[in-house]
Amino acid sequence: MAPTLPANSKLDGIKGMTPALQGRLAKLGIVNVQGLLLHLPLRYLDETRITPIRELRAGEQAQVQGEIVHAEVQYRPRKALICRLRDDTGQLVLRFLHFYPSQVASLKEGKHIRAFGEVRGGFFGWEMVHPQCKQAEEDAPVADALTPLYPTTAGLSQATLRKWISWALQQADTAEILPPATYQALGLPAFADSLRQLHHPEPGVDLASIESRDHLAWRRLAFDELLAQQLSMLKHHARRRHQGAPALAQSKSLVTALLRSLPFALTQAQQHVAVEISRDLQQSHPMQRLLQGDVGSGKTIVAAMAALQAIENGWQAAIMAPTEILAEQHYQKMQGWLAPLGIQVAWLSGSQGKKERREMMAAVEKGEAQLVIGTHALFQDQVVFKRLALAIVDEQHRFGVQQRLSLRQKGVQPHQLMMSATPIPRTLSMSYFADLDVSVIDELPPGRTPIVTRLVSDARRDEVLERVQQACMEGRQAYWVCPLIEESEALQLQTVTDTYESLRETFPQLRVGLVHGRMKPVEKQAVMAAFSAGETQLLVATTVIEVGVDVPNASLMVIEHAERMGLAQLHQLRGRVGRGAAKSSCILLYQDGKLSETARARLRIIYESSDGFAIAQADLALRGPGEFMGVRQSGLPMLKIADLERDQDLLESARDIAAKLLEQVPQAAEAHLARWLGHAEELVKV
Ligand code: ADP
Ligand code: MG
């Protein structure tokens, strides 16, 4: 009978599968038959050959067969079980530093065993430390395929894993789903063959290529995984086109009026993305567009133009920001731009009194408030819109993927514009973000002077203090950013207050401000307002000022313990200066002598580059995609087999093939998704 168990079958109810075993498998991310099939070995043991002891070479992995001729437990220099194994050609010492009584029993004098391990030269000739041993007579057959070593977890033995994975290989339906032309054109083998080759490679196979994961069998599975992801993204995209959204006619008066009131003209890039967005808003299905632009590229004005298109059509728009500080700043800016046009801008803030808040909410519900601004958190409580047509999410990367989802599901389908200063590297935007349309502002407004970045050892703190003093005496302003202390928020708070006190002592003549995440929203606002107005000259801050804050007169930033921060974060922070005409600089203070290699590499990148895209790409290479987009925090499963960097060519092919498959062989597309479901199911939600 042909194996027929569908790959997405759950493991419950399968004979021999206990809840305890299921729990351990789940720890490895294995929840269905496909999970077993795709749990691929890390390495292999070659137990297909028996090497005569005389032919052993140091550093090699080998299997030997022989009789134990001597065994004893030694106590000096430390406790160890020492056995001497003899075959026709020589002798070998087996050494165990940790062992069970059962091992002592099975490795007694006179026993015939096979031992597998790494050979090294010891004091008494060849030896193996902690070899894997099993009882075997000389004529017992050897393995006919390499033995897989799987990633595992406590309480789950290699033997059990091997047994269940072999079971899955026998029982599961691994018949080919894709038209052979699709994978053959890429030079890839069939699905079932690939699985077999990876789990049980035949002797003589190119192990190095399998273990480094560029073997064709690996590539086939990576391709399938990417294809499943692409298919689900395409379906998601298509589903959205079937949802209704208000079609918003192009603005005739408000946008023109806004642009006329500005002291500057839009850059080419801003004009270009504004057109793309305006075109999307005219459609009767919801826009899902990501607006990317480096810090300071001028995304806010583009957002205002989009909001006006909604408002002119009689609808409401909302802007969500990740922090109170940023929401407040957006409110000030929008109020300044839009109030003169007669637009009602409402602001929802944690610092508002209950009464004021209630009034604002009522205005939103009645539709009187045309543009509503607040933090994302606030929008999640009970804000009811009368007619919301456009939701703008600023600094999207700070929200993570999960929040993007919850917002999308709110109420009627508004158009959605997401803005991010953290550029998404191409491989990521082609995979996890493939269901979004992307606009890019690839040009900074004219007249910006580049920021000079300096790496300064903490030992030269005095010079840095002098620089701060000088900048402030010349009428400019400075930020002093305190280190991120991930382990303890209390410690971080302590550090920032200590720094504040000490800087106030150092600079009695300067007006110094303090802002951190633990302050009440009203307090934060007051501090930021004072800094914006130039009343304070030096602002001591935690990384709460990381995103969006715009004070053009600030021209110097000092970042302490820069080595602890991520690249994207440093780039964001640095983007807080260099916003005006004055020459700006960013000083990265680091603890000399304590720098790890990675930290050094990171600082070098931020020092050498001011291009957000290049930095993001380097960050991705250093940290991997999960951390990069905060995807990991949101619990989203990552690609398990494919690696976006290594398999970029497959990603491109998968994208093209997914589109063709859906169109030409939709049943194959569905079957492929079904097989990869449970795995790909989660990817669909992105
Ligand atoms: P970001 O893209 O980082 O959100 P902002 O929208 O805050 O950048 O813009 C940064 C600064 O540049 C703001 O003070 C904004 O008013 C100004 N700005 C935006 N567009 C232009 C432009 N075309 N010419 C000159 N200044 C501009
Ligand atoms: Mg911004």
Side-chain angles (χ1 to χ4, degrees):
M1 207 175 72
T4 48
L5 200 57
N8 58 7
S9 311
K10 295 278 177 220
L11 299 177
D12 316 288
I14 286 173
K15 200 164 156 258
M17 185 65 73
T18 61
L21 178 56
Q22 272 191 48
R24 290 183 188 126
L25 289 173
K27 272 204 187 137
L28 298 173
I30 302 174
V31 295
N32 59 13
V33 172
Q34 175 85 341
L36 283 169
L37 292 179
L38 295 180
H39 194 66
L40 298 173
L42 279 177
R43 288 186 299 114
Y44 304 86
L45 307 180
D46 187 355
E47 295 176 318
T48 64
R49 282 178 303 141
I50 289 176
T51 309
I53 290 176
R54 193 172 49 206
E55 289 171 24
L56 292 177
R57 258 176 286 158
E60 252 178 19
Q61 300 260 358
Q63 177 171 240
V64 292
Q65 153 96 51
E67 183 186 342
I68 306 240
V69 291
H70 179 77
E72 69 174 304
V73 175
Q74 288 183 351
Y75 292 90
R76 281 207 185 151
R78 54 184 288 201
K79 196 175 167 200
L81 169 62
I82 310 285
C83 305
R84 198 175 286 276
L85 185 78
R86 186 177 68 195
D87 71 2
D88 295 343
T89 66
Q91 290 199 9
L92 167 75
V93 171
L94 310 179
R95 184 186 296 275
F96 300 85
L97 301 172
H98 316 279
F99 51 91
Y100 298 105
S102 62
Q103 278 173 299
V104 179
S106 63
L107 295 171
K108 277 217 167 79
E109 224 174 284
K111 296 270 185 193
H112 286 260
I113 65 155
R114 274 181 198 164
F116 186 96
E118 188 177 313
V119 182
R120 61 177 213 188
F123 190 69
F124 301 105
W126 291 133
E127 67 174 27
M128 285 181 179
V129 179
H130 287 175
Q132 311 213 348
C133 297
K134 60 185 174 211
Q135 310 273 345
E137 291 307 321
E138 212 161 316
D139 50 1
V142 292
D144 54 7
L146 301 184
T147 311
L149 272 182
Y150 293 106
T152 188
T153 180
L156 186 57
S157 71
Q158 286 293 332
T160 308
L161 258 177
R162 280 179 200 142
K163 182 183 112 189
W164 281 101
I165 290 170
S166 296
W167 169 86
L169 281 168
Q170 278 160 22
Q171 299 300 319
D173 172 14
T174 54
E176 195 56 54
I177 287 174
L178 301 180
T182 46
Y183 57 90
Q184 282 167 0
L186 302 170
L188 300 176
F191 178 64
D193 291 345
S194 303
L195 284 175
R196 214 172 311 115
Q197 281 198 58
L198 293 178
H199 286 290
H200 301 296
E202 283 154 21
V205 78
D206 180 3
L207 258 196
S209 114
I210 292 194
E211 286 177 356
S212 69
R213 308 191 164 184
D214 56 10
H215 191 272
L216 288 176
W218 255 105
R219 283 174 53 83
R220 168 63 207 261
L221 298 184
F223 169 76
D224 278 18
E225 183 181 41
L226 291 167
L227 182 65
Q229 189 191 39
Q230 291 296 318
L231 284 170
S232 50
M233 288 291 179
L234 280 176
K235 287 189 63 172
H236 186 256
H237 197 269
R239 217 175 300 138
R240 209 173 64 226
R241 294 189 77 90
H242 288 292
Q243 293 171 336
L248 306 168
Q250 204 181 345
S251 158
K252 293 211 174 59
S253 55
L254 289 178
V255 169
T256 320
L258 170 67
L259 294 181
R260 212 176 282 144
S261 75
L262 294 176
F264 53 78
L266 295 185
T267 61
Q268 289 279 330
Q270 283 171 316
Q271 288 173 31
H272 182 76
V273 300
V275 169
E276 286 177 333
I277 293 166
S278 168
R279 238 185 253 143
D280 279 5
L281 294 176
Q282 294 167 46
Q283 307 293 314
S284 58
H285 55 79
M287 166 173 83
Q288 289 275 295
R289 190 170 278 279
L290 181 68
L291 174 57
Q292 279 186 213
D294 210 343
V295 272
S297 61
K299 296 182 288 293
T300 320
I301 186 71
V302 175
M305 292 165 68
L308 284 180
Q309 186 165 343
I311 293 166
E312 193 167 315
N313 281 274
W315 291 79
Q316 292 168 295
I319 299 181
M320 272 150 255
T323 64
E324 285 272 344
I325 290 179
L326 196 52
E328 149 99 20
Q329 193 174 286
H330 276 321
Y331 174 66
Q332 300 296 353
K333 200 153 230 176
M334 292 294 163
Q335 184 74 0
W337 281 338
L338 305 191
L341 306 178
I343 311 284
Q344 293 287 329
V345 184
W347 182 40
L348 296 171
S349 159
S351 61
Q352 277 162 338
K354 276 216 171 75
K355 180 160 168 285
E356 193 187 348
R357 177 87 169 277
R358 214 176 309 120
E359 281 168 13
M360 286 288 180
M361 302 271 264
V364 176
E365 191 160 358
K366 281 191 237 145
E368 291 161 7
Q370 294 160 290
L371 176 61
V372 190
I373 298 169
T375 60
H376 191 280
L378 282 173
F379 278 88
Q380 280 192 322
D381 323 331
Q382 303 293 306
V383 179
V384 184
F385 290 90
K386 179 139 188 271
R387 277 160 72 77
L388 179 67
L390 172 64
I392 299 169
V393 184
D394 195 16
E395 306 296 350
Q396 155 69 29
H397 67 285
R398 291 287 300 253
F399 291 126
V401 177
Q402 226 48 33
Q403 277 98 335
R404 193 170 118 204
L405 180 73
S406 71
L407 184 73
R408 189 187 291 169
Q409 289 169 339
K410 258 176 104 78
V412 286
Q413 289 298 319
H415 296 283
Q416 227 188 103
L417 180 65
M418 287 151 276
M419 305 200 286
S420 177
T422 303
I424 301 176
R426 190 173 129 75
T427 47
L428 276 183
S429 63
M430 277 175 65
S431 55
Y432 288 98
F433 292 79
D435 63 330
L436 296 184
D437 299 306
V438 180
S439 293
V440 181
I441 305 184
D442 53 6
E443 157 187 31
L444 291 180
R448 299 271 165 87
T449 41
I451 306 164
V452 177
T453 301
R454 292 227 157 75
L455 292 175
V456 179
S457 154
D458 201 49
R460 290 165 52 203
R461 215 180 162 84
D462 285 350
E463 292 168 41
V464 175
L465 290 170
E466 227 161 85
R467 290 279 301 272
V468 170
Q469 160 133 329
Q470 198 183 345
C472 292
M473 295 322 260
E474 284 168 8
R476 280 174 281 116
Q477 290 165 278
Y479 296 98
W480 190 288
V481 182
C482 292
L484 180 73
I485 301 173
E486 270 171 355
E487 311 82 60
S488 158
E489 204 190 339
L491 199 57
Q492 171 152 349
L493 193 61
Q494 183 67 48
T495 310
V496 73
T497 18
D498 289 353
T499 310
Y500 169 67
E501 292 304 337
S502 108
L503 286 173
R504 278 211 322 182
E505 258 171 53
T506 316
F507 301 125
Q509 72 284 28
L510 295 185
R511 293 179 305 275
V512 187
L514 168 67
V515 66
H516 57 72
R518 270 312 183 83
M519 288 164 99
K520 293 208 188 80
V522 229
E523 296 168 346
K524 273 192 241 174
Q525 264 162 44
V527 174
M528 291 312 292
F531 190 65
S532 265
E535 286 158 22
T536 38
Q537 294 157 291
L538 174 61
L539 183 63
V540 180
T542 51
T543 51
V544 292
I545 57 149
E546 175 191 343
V547 288
V549 172
D550 186 27
V551 179
N553 190 45
S555 67
L556 176 62
M557 170 168 288
V558 179
I559 305 177
E560 284 199 75
H561 274 291
E563 75 277 3
R564 291 191 193 161
M565 295 186 196
L567 281 182
Q569 192 173 30
L570 282 172
H571 182 61
Q572 282 278 333
L573 278 170
R574 182 171 61 178
R576 301 306 113 218
V577 293
R579 306 198 139 226
K583 198 164 166 52
S584 295
S585 40
C586 177
I587 297 176
L588 305 177
L589 276 176
Y590 64 90
Q591 291 282 299
D592 215 358
K594 287 193 197 156
L595 274 191
S596 71
E597 270 310 302
T598 338
R600 202 177 288 275
R602 273 212 226 126
L603 289 181
R604 190 170 314 122
I605 291 163
I606 205 85
Y607 172 71
E608 285 172 355
S609 179
S610 57
D611 172 355
F613 274 87
I615 291 170
Q617 196 72 48
D619 205 15
L620 181 67
L622 279 176
R623 297 198 295 161
E627 284 192 50
F628 184 86
M629 291 312 293
V631 171
R632 202 171 284 163
Q633 288 103 288
S634 69
L636 187 87
M638 303 298 293
L639 292 163
K640 281 183 190 155
I641 299 171
D643 175 308
L644 292 178
E645 294 307 303
R646 183 190 62 215
D647 302 323
Q648 191 167 351
D649 60 325
L650 292 178
L651 175 60
E652 314 235 357
S653 309
R655 186 176 56 170
D656 299 342
I657 290 171
K660 279 197 208 118
L661 210 58
L662 269 180
E663 200 183 292
Q664 294 165 8
V665 211
Q667 39 333 336
E670 289 306 325
H672 188 77
L673 274 174
R675 171 174 282 172
W676 286 78
L677 213 76
H679 183 71
E681 181 177 46
E682 308 301 320
L683 301 178
V684 180
K685 289 196 208 147
V686 180

